[in-house]
Amino acid sequence: MKLTLDHFSNSGKIIARAIGPEAAYKLLQQYGGQSFYISESPTVAHAASKKLGIEVHRALSQLWPNQEFELPVINYVEKRLRNDEIREDSKNLTMRELIQKYQLTRYQIQKIINSGDPVDRDTQENQQLKFAGF
């Protein structure tokens, strides 16, 4: 399955646009949930640049200069990828097979297939930063 910007939360899209979806996914796998101080004038010597890369640090510095930034957790992306896989599998598998494979209820699987949106019963998505235009 191809990873796209649509798989990321709003704050994750900023990073994915700066370095590409695949690199952003790896970054979130490694550092998701961690906070970094975003300098107004990033250099390769800054701690955030060393971990995130100078391109990401520069992109974030345009939005949050001299502020703390918390990388989104990878769960949102993984849930979106899983839901895409469920929709794809629903073309070839029965409902019973989908339930067994994904360990979800019939209701959850039907909701994923019918809506195209992830079923999220917690507040993680609501806690993501919201940006106009993303």
Side-chain angles (χ1 to χ4, degrees):
M1 184 136 322
K2 183 169 170 51
L3 190 63
T4 68
L5 289 177
D6 291 333
H7 290 108
F8 291 87
S9 65
N10 291 332
S11 54
K13 284 180 183 175
I14 295 168
I15 298 164
R17 283 185 179 137
I19 64 173
E22 294 293 333
Y25 183 74
K26 289 178 184 174
L27 184 71
L28 297 183
Q29 281 180 314
Q30 190 169 17
Y31 299 112
Q34 294 184 30
S35 294
F36 298 93
Y37 179 77
I38 305 302
S39 172
E40 183 176 19
S41 303
T43 67
V44 293
H46 286 104
S49 293
K50 288 178 182 177
K51 287 196 174 181
L52 304 176
I54 189 70
E55 305 90 16
V56 175
H57 195 173
R58 284 184 183 138
L60 296 177
S61 72
Q62 293 177 18
L63 296 166
W64 303 288
N66 297 323
Q67 293 183 43
E68 230 10 72
F69 176 75
E70 184 175 311
L71 280 172
V73 293
I74 194 70
N75 299 13
Y76 183 87
V77 178
E78 289 176 342
K79 186 181 287 184
R80 299 290 300 253
L81 287 169
R82 181 210 61 197
N83 290 352
D84 283 352
E85 188 176 326
I86 289 170
R87 284 188 283 277
E88 188 62 32
D89 281 350
S90 72
K91 297 172 186 174
N92 302 314
L93 299 177
T94 66
M95 180 60 74
R96 183 179 303 248
E97 291 169 326
L98 291 170
I99 290 168
Q100 287 177 326
K101 181 175 181 177
Y102 294 101
Q103 297 295 299
L104 296 172
T105 66
R106 179 180 300 276
Y107 170 79
Q108 290 171 310
I109 290 175
Q110 286 175 329
K111 186 87 170 167
I112 290 166
I113 293 168
N114 294 335
S115 71
D117 295 329
V119 175
D120 190 359
R121 291 204 161 79
D122 60 33
T123 59
Q124 179 185 7
E125 183 177 347
N126 295 332
Q127 293 172 351
Q128 297 293 330
L129 299 174
K130 304 295 181 189
F131 303 103
F134 290 97

